[in-house]
PDB file of all heavy atoms in Angstrom:
ATOM      1  N   LEU A   1     134.781 -56.151 115.643  1.00 79.00           N
ATOM      2  CA  LEU A   1     133.556 -55.933 116.415  1.00 79.00           C
ATOM      3  C   LEU A   1     132.432 -56.823 115.901  1.00 79.00           C
ATOM      4  O   LEU A   1     131.605 -57.334 116.665  1.00 79.00           O
ATOM      5  CB  LEU A   1     133.130 -54.466 116.332  1.00 79.00           C
ATOM      6  CG  LEU A   1     133.944 -53.465 117.152  1.00 79.00           C
ATOM      7  CD1 LEU A   1     133.552 -52.043 116.791  1.00 79.00           C
ATOM      8  CD2 LEU A   1     133.733 -53.701 118.634  1.00 79.00           C
ATOM      9  N   ASP A   2     132.403 -56.963 114.565  1.00 76.00           N
ATOM     10  CA  ASP A   2     131.413 -57.807 113.899  1.00 76.00           C
ATOM     11  C   ASP A   2     131.431 -59.227 114.437  1.00 76.00           C
ATOM     12  O   ASP A   2     130.392 -59.885 114.547  1.00 76.00           O
ATOM     13  CB  ASP A   2     131.757 -57.849 112.401  1.00 76.00           C
ATOM     14  CG  ASP A   2     130.562 -57.523 111.541  1.00 76.00           C
ATOM     15  OD1 ASP A   2     129.459 -57.480 112.087  1.00 76.00           O
ATOM     16  OD2 ASP A   2     130.742 -57.313 110.340  1.00 76.00           O
ATOM     17  N   ARG A   3     132.637 -59.715 114.743  1.00 81.00           N
ATOM     18  CA  ARG A   3     132.822 -61.118 115.093  1.00 81.00           C
ATOM     19  C   ARG A   3     132.880 -61.365 116.604  1.00 81.00           C
ATOM     20  O   ARG A   3     133.021 -62.510 117.015  1.00 81.00           O
ATOM     21  CB  ARG A   3     134.121 -61.633 114.436  1.00 81.00           C
ATOM     22  CG  ARG A   3     133.989 -61.783 112.939  1.00 81.00           C
ATOM     23  CD  ARG A   3     135.328 -61.834 112.226  1.00 81.00           C
ATOM     24  NE  ARG A   3     135.148 -62.186 110.830  1.00 81.00           N
ATOM     25  CZ  ARG A   3     134.710 -61.349 109.904  1.00 81.00           C
ATOM     26  NH1 ARG A   3     134.424 -60.092 110.231  1.00 81.00           N
ATOM     27  NH2 ARG A   3     134.554 -61.748 108.657  1.00 81.00           N
ATOM     28  N   SER A   4     132.821 -60.310 117.389  1.00 81.00           N
ATOM     29  CA  SER A   4     132.898 -60.476 118.844  1.00 81.00           C
ATOM     30  C   SER A   4     131.526 -60.212 119.460  1.00 81.00           C
ATOM     31  O   SER A   4     130.589 -59.803 118.783  1.00 81.00           O
ATOM     32  CB  SER A   4     133.926 -59.504 119.439  1.00 81.00           C
ATOM     33  OG  SER A   4     133.422 -58.181 119.396  1.00 81.00           O
ATOM     34  N   GLY A   5     131.434 -60.422 120.756  1.00 78.00           N
ATOM     35  CA  GLY A   5     130.180 -60.165 121.461  1.00 78.00           C
ATOM     36  C   GLY A   5     130.150 -58.795 122.114  1.00 78.00           C
ATOM     37  O   GLY A   5     129.261 -58.504 122.917  1.00 78.00           O
ATOM     38  N   ILE A   6     131.119 -57.919 121.754  1.00 80.00           N
ATOM     39  CA  ILE A   6     131.213 -56.599 122.384  1.00 80.00           C
ATOM     40  C   ILE A   6     129.951 -55.784 122.121  1.00 80.00           C
ATOM     41  O   ILE A   6     129.389 -55.169 123.036  1.00 80.00           O
ATOM     42  CB  ILE A   6     132.463 -55.848 121.882  1.00 80.00           C
ATOM     43  CG1 ILE A   6     133.737 -56.567 122.367  1.00 80.00           C
ATOM     44  CG2 ILE A   6     132.461 -54.397 122.369  1.00 80.00           C
ATOM     45  CD1 ILE A   6     135.021 -55.992 121.791  1.00 80.00           C
ATOM     46  N   ALA A   7     129.488 -55.779 120.861  1.00 76.00           N
ATOM     47  CA  ALA A   7     128.301 -54.988 120.513  1.00 76.00           C
ATOM     48  C   ALA A   7     127.064 -55.520 121.233  1.00 76.00           C
ATOM     49  O   ALA A   7     126.221 -54.745 121.703  1.00 76.00           O
ATOM     50  CB  ALA A   7     128.095 -55.005 119.001  1.00 76.00           C
ATOM     51  N   ARG A   8     126.965 -56.837 121.355  1.00 78.00           N
ATOM     52  CA  ARG A   8     125.809 -57.437 122.035  1.00 78.00           C
ATOM     53  C   ARG A   8     125.769 -57.024 123.509  1.00 78.00           C
ATOM     54  O   ARG A   8     124.730 -56.606 124.024  1.00 78.00           O
ATOM     55  CB  ARG A   8     125.880 -58.965 121.907  1.00 78.00           C
ATOM     56  CG  ARG A   8     124.688 -59.683 122.528  1.00 78.00           C
ATOM     57  CD  ARG A   8     124.871 -61.186 122.549  1.00 78.00           C
ATOM     58  NE  ARG A   8     126.003 -61.572 123.404  1.00 78.00           N
ATOM     59  CZ  ARG A   8     127.120 -62.133 122.961  1.00 78.00           C
ATOM     60  NH1 ARG A   8     127.275 -62.372 121.678  1.00 78.00           N
ATOM     61  NH2 ARG A   8     128.098 -62.449 123.791  1.00 78.00           N
ATOM     62  N   ASP A   9     126.912 -57.100 124.170  1.00 79.00           N
ATOM     63  CA  ASP A   9     126.964 -56.719 125.588  1.00 79.00           C
ATOM     64  C   ASP A   9     126.748 -55.218 125.772  1.00 79.00           C
ATOM     65  O   ASP A   9     126.158 -54.781 126.765  1.00 79.00           O
ATOM     66  CB  ASP A   9     128.318 -57.121 126.191  1.00 79.00           C
ATOM     67  CG  ASP A   9     128.416 -58.630 126.403  1.00 79.00           C
ATOM     68  OD1 ASP A   9     127.405 -59.323 126.161  1.00 79.00           O
ATOM     69  OD2 ASP A   9     129.496 -59.114 126.789  1.00 79.00           O
ATOM     70  N   LEU A  10     127.242 -54.441 124.824  1.00 79.00           N
ATOM     71  CA  LEU A  10     127.034 -52.992 124.862  1.00 79.00           C
ATOM     72  C   LEU A  10     125.553 -52.668 124.769  1.00 79.00           C
ATOM     73  O   LEU A  10     125.026 -51.820 125.508  1.00 79.00           O
ATOM     74  CB  LEU A  10     127.808 -52.332 123.711  1.00 79.00           C
ATOM     75  CG  LEU A  10     127.659 -50.824 123.516  1.00 79.00           C
ATOM     76  CD1 LEU A  10     128.181 -50.074 124.730  1.00 79.00           C
ATOM     77  CD2 LEU A  10     128.408 -50.368 122.262  1.00 79.00           C
ATOM     78  N   PHE A  11     124.851 -53.357 123.877  1.00 77.00           N
ATOM     79  CA  PHE A  11     123.414 -53.146 123.708  1.00 77.00           C
ATOM     80  C   PHE A  11     122.656 -53.509 124.985  1.00 77.00           C
ATOM     81  O   PHE A  11     121.753 -52.789 125.422  1.00 77.00           O
ATOM     82  CB  PHE A  11     122.909 -53.987 122.531  1.00 77.00           C
ATOM     83  CG  PHE A  11     121.458 -53.776 122.212  1.00 77.00           C
ATOM     84  CD1 PHE A  11     121.041 -52.642 121.527  1.00 77.00           C
ATOM     85  CD2 PHE A  11     120.499 -54.697 122.604  1.00 77.00           C
ATOM     86  CE1 PHE A  11     119.704 -52.441 121.241  1.00 77.00           C
ATOM     87  CE2 PHE A  11     119.158 -54.507 122.329  1.00 77.00           C
ATOM     88  CZ  PHE A  11     118.760 -53.374 121.640  1.00 77.00           C
ATOM     89  N   GLU A  12     123.050 -54.615 125.589  1.00 76.00           N
ATOM     90  CA  GLU A  12     122.409 -55.039 126.835  1.00 76.00           C
ATOM     91  C   GLU A  12     122.665 -54.028 127.954  1.00 76.00           C
ATOM     92  O   GLU A  12     121.781 -53.714 128.750  1.00 76.00           O
ATOM     93  CB  GLU A  12     122.942 -56.416 127.253  1.00 76.00           C
ATOM     94  CG  GLU A  12     122.332 -57.575 126.492  1.00 76.00           C
ATOM     95  CD  GLU A  12     120.847 -57.705 126.749  1.00 76.00           C
ATOM     96  OE1 GLU A  12     120.447 -57.760 127.922  1.00 76.00           O
ATOM     97  OE2 GLU A  12     120.072 -57.732 125.768  1.00 76.00           O
ATOM     98  N   ALA A  13     123.902 -53.496 128.011  1.00 77.00           N
ATOM     99  CA  ALA A  13     124.264 -52.544 129.070  1.00 77.00           C
ATOM    100  C   ALA A  13     123.459 -51.254 128.983  1.00 77.00           C
ATOM    101  O   ALA A  13     123.120 -50.650 130.008  1.00 77.00           O
ATOM    102  CB  ALA A  13     125.764 -52.234 128.994  1.00 77.00           C
ATOM    103  N   MET A  14     123.124 -50.846 127.763  1.00 73.00           N
ATOM    104  CA  MET A  14     122.385 -49.598 127.598  1.00 73.00           C
ATOM    105  C   MET A  14     120.958 -49.701 128.118  1.00 73.00           C
ATOM    106  O   MET A  14     120.263 -48.699 128.260  1.00 73.00           O
ATOM    107  CB  MET A  14     122.365 -49.195 126.117  1.00 73.00           C
ATOM    108  CG  MET A  14     123.729 -48.787 125.561  1.00 73.00           C
ATOM    109  SD  MET A  14     124.548 -47.481 126.509  1.00 73.00           S
ATOM    110  CE  MET A  14     123.444 -46.119 126.251  1.00 73.00           C
ATOM    111  N   ARG A  15     120.515 -50.922 128.451  1.00 70.00           N
ATOM    112  CA  ARG A  15     119.190 -51.116 129.051  1.00 70.00           C
ATOM    113  C   ARG A  15     119.086 -50.398 130.389  1.00 70.00           C
ATOM    114  O   ARG A  15     117.997 -49.989 130.811  1.00 70.00           O
ATOM    115  CB  ARG A  15     118.958 -52.625 129.233  1.00 70.00           C
ATOM    116  CG  ARG A  15     117.548 -53.030 129.561  1.00 70.00           C
ATOM    117  CD  ARG A  15     117.291 -54.471 129.127  1.00 70.00           C
ATOM    118  NE  ARG A  15     118.275 -55.399 129.666  1.00 70.00           N
ATOM    119  CZ  ARG A  15     118.148 -56.039 130.827  1.00 70.00           C
ATOM    120  NH1 ARG A  15     117.115 -55.814 131.605  1.00 70.00           N
ATOM    121  NH2 ARG A  15     119.068 -56.906 131.226  1.00 70.00           N
ATOM    122  N   LEU A  16     120.225 -50.195 131.046  1.00 70.00           N
ATOM    123  CA  LEU A  16     120.244 -49.485 132.334  1.00 70.00           C
ATOM    124  C   LEU A  16     119.760 -48.049 132.187  1.00 70.00           C
ATOM    125  O   LEU A  16     119.191 -47.467 133.104  1.00 70.00           O
ATOM    126  CB  LEU A  16     121.668 -49.480 132.900  1.00 70.00           C
ATOM    127  CG  LEU A  16     122.226 -50.814 133.414  1.00 70.00           C
ATOM    128  CD1 LEU A  16     123.705 -50.667 133.712  1.00 70.00           C
ATOM    129  CD2 LEU A  16     121.463 -51.260 134.651  1.00 70.00           C
ATOM    130  N   PHE A  17     120.011 -47.463 131.010  1.00 68.00           N
ATOM    131  CA  PHE A  17     119.697 -46.040 130.821  1.00 68.00           C
ATOM    132  C   PHE A  17     118.382 -45.821 130.075  1.00 68.00           C
ATOM    133  O   PHE A  17     117.724 -44.806 130.256  1.00 68.00           O
ATOM    134  CB  PHE A  17     120.841 -45.366 130.042  1.00 68.00           C
ATOM    135  CG  PHE A  17     122.183 -45.549 130.701  1.00 68.00           C
ATOM    136  CD1 PHE A  17     123.042 -46.561 130.304  1.00 68.00           C
ATOM    137  CD2 PHE A  17     122.574 -44.719 131.735  1.00 68.00           C
ATOM    138  CE1 PHE A  17     124.273 -46.746 130.916  1.00 68.00           C
ATOM    139  CE2 PHE A  17     123.808 -44.898 132.360  1.00 68.00           C
ATOM    140  CZ  PHE A  17     124.652 -45.911 131.945  1.00 68.00           C
ATOM    141  N   GLY A  18     118.000 -46.787 129.225  1.00 63.00           N
ATOM    142  CA  GLY A  18     116.789 -46.591 128.437  1.00 63.00           C
ATOM    143  C   GLY A  18     115.589 -47.373 128.928  1.00 63.00           C
ATOM    144  O   GLY A  18     114.491 -47.218 128.407  1.00 63.00           O
ATOM    145  N   GLY A  19     115.780 -48.209 129.930  1.00 64.00           N
ATOM    146  CA  GLY A  19     114.723 -49.108 130.367  1.00 64.00           C
ATOM    147  C   GLY A  19     113.470 -48.428 130.872  1.00 64.00           C
ATOM    148  O   GLY A  19     112.373 -48.949 130.707  1.00 64.00           O
ATOM    149  N   ARG A  20     113.594 -47.283 131.520  1.00 71.00           N
ATOM    150  CA  ARG A  20     112.431 -46.632 132.130  1.00 71.00           C
ATOM    151  C   ARG A  20     111.778 -45.607 131.199  1.00 71.00           C
ATOM    152  O   ARG A  20     110.865 -44.900 131.603  1.00 71.00           O
ATOM    153  CB  ARG A  20     112.830 -45.964 133.446  1.00 71.00           C
ATOM    154  CG  ARG A  20     113.292 -46.984 134.490  1.00 71.00           C
ATOM    155  CD  ARG A  20     113.529 -46.352 135.843  1.00 71.00           C
ATOM    156  NE  ARG A  20     113.926 -47.353 136.827  1.00 71.00           N
ATOM    157  CZ  ARG A  20     113.077 -48.132 137.495  1.00 71.00           C
ATOM    158  NH1 ARG A  20     111.779 -48.013 137.298  1.00 71.00           N
ATOM    159  NH2 ARG A  20     113.525 -49.021 138.366  1.00 71.00           N
ATOM    160  N   LEU A  21     112.270 -45.509 129.963  1.00 76.00           N
ATOM    161  CA  LEU A  21     111.669 -44.609 128.983  1.00 76.00           C
ATOM    162  C   LEU A  21     110.697 -45.370 128.105  1.00 76.00           C
ATOM    163  O   LEU A  21     110.924 -46.534 127.775  1.00 76.00           O
ATOM    164  CB  LEU A  21     112.748 -44.005 128.073  1.00 76.00           C
ATOM    165  CG  LEU A  21     113.621 -42.872 128.608  1.00 76.00           C
ATOM    166  CD1 LEU A  21     114.723 -42.579 127.608  1.00 76.00           C
ATOM    167  CD2 LEU A  21     112.792 -41.621 128.860  1.00 76.00           C
ATOM    168  N   LYS A  22     109.627 -44.700 127.692  1.00 83.00           N
ATOM    169  CA  LYS A  22     108.774 -45.294 126.665  1.00 83.00           C
ATOM    170  C   LYS A  22     109.526 -45.149 125.343  1.00 83.00           C
ATOM    171  O   LYS A  22     109.891 -44.040 124.949  1.00 83.00           O
ATOM    172  CB  LYS A  22     107.420 -44.582 126.591  1.00 83.00           C
ATOM    173  CG  LYS A  22     106.423 -45.319 125.703  1.00 83.00           C
ATOM    174  CD  LYS A  22     105.056 -44.667 125.723  1.00 83.00           C
ATOM    175  CE  LYS A  22     104.080 -45.483 124.874  1.00 83.00           C
ATOM    176  NZ  LYS A  22     102.736 -44.866 124.832  1.00 83.00           N
ATOM    177  N   GLY A  23     109.771 -46.239 124.669  1.00 82.00           N
ATOM    178  CA  GLY A  23     110.635 -46.196 123.489  1.00 82.00           C
ATOM    179  C   GLY A  23     112.093 -46.373 123.853  1.00 82.00           C
ATOM    180  O   GLY A  23     112.984 -46.042 123.067  1.00 82.00           O
ATOM    181  N   GLY A  24     112.327 -46.913 125.060  1.00 84.00           N
ATOM    182  CA  GLY A  24     113.688 -47.035 125.574  1.00 84.00           C
ATOM    183  C   GLY A  24     114.604 -47.881 124.711  1.00 84.00           C
ATOM    184  O   GLY A  24     115.770 -47.548 124.528  1.00 84.00           O
ATOM    185  N   VAL A  25     114.084 -48.983 124.147  1.00 86.00           N
ATOM    186  CA  VAL A  25     114.936 -49.857 123.322  1.00 86.00           C
ATOM    187  C   VAL A  25     115.371 -49.123 122.049  1.00 86.00           C
ATOM    188  O   VAL A  25     116.512 -49.247 121.603  1.00 86.00           O
ATOM    189  CB  VAL A  25     114.203 -51.176 122.966  1.00 86.00           C
ATOM    190  CG1 VAL A  25     115.078 -52.040 122.066  1.00 86.00           C
ATOM    191  CG2 VAL A  25     113.848 -51.934 124.232  1.00 86.00           C
ATOM    192  N   ALA A  26     114.468 -48.345 121.473  1.00 89.00           N
ATOM    193  CA  ALA A  26     114.808 -47.570 120.273  1.00 89.00           C
ATOM    194  C   ALA A  26     115.869 -46.521 120.599  1.00 89.00           C
ATOM    195  O   ALA A  26     116.818 -46.316 119.834  1.00 89.00           O
ATOM    196  CB  ALA A  26     113.555 -46.903 119.702  1.00 89.00           C
ATOM    197  N   VAL A  27     115.715 -45.859 121.745  1.00 90.00           N
ATOM    198  CA  VAL A  27     116.689 -44.845 122.159  1.00 90.00           C
ATOM    199  C   VAL A  27     118.041 -45.482 122.445  1.00 90.00           C
ATOM    200  O   VAL A  27     119.089 -44.972 122.029  1.00 90.00           O
ATOM    201  CB  VAL A  27     116.178 -44.067 123.401  1.00 90.00           C
ATOM    202  CG1 VAL A  27     117.268 -43.161 123.959  1.00 90.00           C
ATOM    203  CG2 VAL A  27     114.943 -43.249 123.052  1.00 90.00           C
ATOM    204  N   GLN A  28     118.037 -46.625 123.130  1.00 87.00           N
ATOM    205  CA  GLN A  28     119.312 -47.266 123.446  1.00 87.00           C
ATOM    206  C   GLN A  28     119.984 -47.779 122.172  1.00 87.00           C
ATOM    207  O   GLN A  28     121.213 -47.825 122.086  1.00 87.00           O
ATOM    208  CB  GLN A  28     119.121 -48.387 124.463  1.00 87.00           C
ATOM    209  CG  GLN A  28     118.639 -49.721 123.932  1.00 87.00           C
ATOM    210  CD  GLN A  28     118.385 -50.727 125.046  1.00 87.00           C
ATOM    211  OE1 GLN A  28     117.630 -50.467 125.985  1.00 87.00           O
ATOM    212  NE2 GLN A  28     119.005 -51.880 124.949  1.00 87.00           N
ATOM    213  N   THR A  29     119.191 -48.128 121.154  1.00 89.00           N
ATOM    214  CA  THR A  29     119.752 -48.531 119.857  1.00 89.00           C
ATOM    215  C   THR A  29     120.545 -47.388 119.235  1.00 89.00           C
ATOM    216  O   THR A  29     121.643 -47.591 118.694  1.00 89.00           O
ATOM    217  CB  THR A  29     118.623 -48.980 118.893  1.00 89.00           C
ATOM    218  OG1 THR A  29     117.923 -50.080 119.464  1.00 89.00           O
ATOM    219  CG2 THR A  29     119.181 -49.382 117.544  1.00 89.00           C
ATOM    220  N   ILE A  30     120.001 -46.167 119.332  1.00 92.00           N
ATOM    221  CA  ILE A  30     120.707 -45.002 118.783  1.00 92.00           C
ATOM    222  C   ILE A  30     121.981 -44.726 119.572  1.00 92.00           C
ATOM    223  O   ILE A  30     123.032 -44.438 118.990  1.00 92.00           O
ATOM    224  CB  ILE A  30     119.767 -43.767 118.779  1.00 92.00           C
ATOM    225  CG1 ILE A  30     118.590 -44.002 117.825  1.00 92.00           C
ATOM    226  CG2 ILE A  30     120.537 -42.511 118.361  1.00 92.00           C
ATOM    227  CD1 ILE A  30     117.480 -42.978 117.929  1.00 92.00           C
ATOM    228  N   PHE A  31     121.912 -44.838 120.901  1.00 88.00           N
ATOM    229  CA  PHE A  31     123.109 -44.612 121.723  1.00 88.00           C
ATOM    230  C   PHE A  31     124.193 -45.647 121.412  1.00 88.00           C
ATOM    231  O   PHE A  31     125.377 -45.319 121.300  1.00 88.00           O
ATOM    232  CB  PHE A  31     122.754 -44.663 123.213  1.00 88.00           C
ATOM    233  CG  PHE A  31     122.136 -43.403 123.736  1.00 88.00           C
ATOM    234  CD1 PHE A  31     121.027 -43.439 124.559  1.00 88.00           C
ATOM    235  CD2 PHE A  31     122.668 -42.172 123.390  1.00 88.00           C
ATOM    236  CE1 PHE A  31     120.451 -42.268 125.045  1.00 88.00           C
ATOM    237  CE2 PHE A  31     122.107 -40.993 123.868  1.00 88.00           C
ATOM    238  CZ  PHE A  31     120.998 -41.041 124.691  1.00 88.00           C
ATOM    239  N   VAL A  32     123.788 -46.900 121.257  1.00 86.00           N
ATOM    240  CA  VAL A  32     124.750 -47.951 120.906  1.00 86.00           C
ATOM    241  C   VAL A  32     125.361 -47.661 119.541  1.00 86.00           C
ATOM    242  O   VAL A  32     126.568 -47.844 119.331  1.00 86.00           O
ATOM    243  CB  VAL A  32     124.068 -49.339 120.911  1.00 86.00           C
ATOM    244  CG1 VAL A  32     124.980 -50.397 120.295  1.00 86.00           C
ATOM    245  CG2 VAL A  32     123.708 -49.742 122.331  1.00 86.00           C
ATOM    246  N   ALA A  33     124.530 -47.189 118.602  1.00 88.00           N
ATOM    247  CA  ALA A  33     125.028 -46.844 117.264  1.00 88.00           C
ATOM    248  C   ALA A  33     126.091 -45.758 117.332  1.00 88.00           C
ATOM    249  O   ALA A  33     127.101 -45.804 116.618  1.00 88.00           O
ATOM    250  CB  ALA A  33     123.866 -46.387 116.379  1.00 88.00           C
ATOM    251  N   VAL A  34     125.876 -44.760 118.212  1.00 89.00           N
ATOM    252  CA  VAL A  34     126.857 -43.674 118.365  1.00 89.00           C
ATOM    253  C   VAL A  34     128.177 -44.226 118.907  1.00 89.00           C
ATOM    254  O   VAL A  34     129.254 -43.875 118.405  1.00 89.00           O
ATOM    255  CB  VAL A  34     126.307 -42.576 119.308  1.00 89.00           C
ATOM    256  CG1 VAL A  34     127.398 -41.572 119.662  1.00 89.00           C
ATOM    257  CG2 VAL A  34     125.132 -41.852 118.652  1.00 89.00           C
ATOM    258  N   ILE A  35     128.105 -45.099 119.911  1.00 85.00           N
ATOM    259  CA  ILE A  35     129.340 -45.656 120.494  1.00 85.00           C
ATOM    260  C   ILE A  35     130.075 -46.527 119.484  1.00 85.00           C
ATOM    261  O   ILE A  35     131.295 -46.439 119.332  1.00 85.00           O
ATOM    262  CB  ILE A  35     129.016 -46.455 121.775  1.00 85.00           C
ATOM    263  CG1 ILE A  35     128.450 -45.524 122.854  1.00 85.00           C
ATOM    264  CG2 ILE A  35     130.271 -47.152 122.311  1.00 85.00           C
ATOM    265  CD1 ILE A  35     127.942 -46.224 124.091  1.00 85.00           C
ATOM    266  N   LEU A  36     129.325 -47.349 118.731  1.00 83.00           N
ATOM    267  CA  LEU A  36     129.951 -48.178 117.702  1.00 83.00           C
ATOM    268  C   LEU A  36     130.581 -47.321 116.610  1.00 83.00           C
ATOM    269  O   LEU A  36     131.658 -47.629 116.096  1.00 83.00           O
ATOM    270  CB  LEU A  36     128.921 -49.135 117.085  1.00 83.00           C
ATOM    271  CG  LEU A  36     128.395 -50.260 117.986  1.00 83.00           C
ATOM    272  CD1 LEU A  36     127.292 -51.038 117.285  1.00 83.00           C
ATOM    273  CD2 LEU A  36     129.532 -51.198 118.389  1.00 83.00           C
ATOM    274  N   ALA A  37     129.899 -46.223 116.258  1.00 85.00           N
ATOM    275  CA  ALA A  37     130.445 -45.308 115.251  1.00 85.00           C
ATOM    276  C   ALA A  37     131.737 -44.672 115.745  1.00 85.00           C
ATOM    277  O   ALA A  37     132.693 -44.494 114.981  1.00 85.00           O
ATOM    278  CB  ALA A  37     129.419 -44.218 114.916  1.00 85.00           C
ATOM    279  N   ALA A  38     131.766 -44.322 117.036  1.00 84.00           N
ATOM    280  CA  ALA A  38     132.972 -43.715 117.614  1.00 84.00           C
ATOM    281  C   ALA A  38     134.111 -44.715 117.755  1.00 84.00           C
ATOM    282  O   ALA A  38     135.267 -44.323 117.948  1.00 84.00           O
ATOM    283  CB  ALA A  38     132.643 -43.112 118.979  1.00 84.00           C
TER     284      ALA A  38
END
């Protein structure tokens, strides 16, 4: 995962869900962290 672009694209995709929130990028960072952890 470290060497691929999967995490980068995952982070970009989460913009769909956090974009309209104030603090959306921070929230999407946590969601991406959960998916990467899983």
Side-chain angles (χ1 to χ4, degrees):
L1 285 171
D2 231 349
R3 288 161 171 76
S4 72
I6 293 173
R8 183 187 64 246
D9 286 355
L10 176 63
F11 184 77
E12 281 296 307
M14 292 306 295
R15 192 155 53 90
L16 289 170
F17 304 96
R20 296 187 178 277
L21 283 172
K22 190 176 183 182
V25 178
V27 172
Q28 81 184 55
T29 300
I30 295 169
F31 280 135
V32 169
V34 170
I35 296 173
L36 291 175

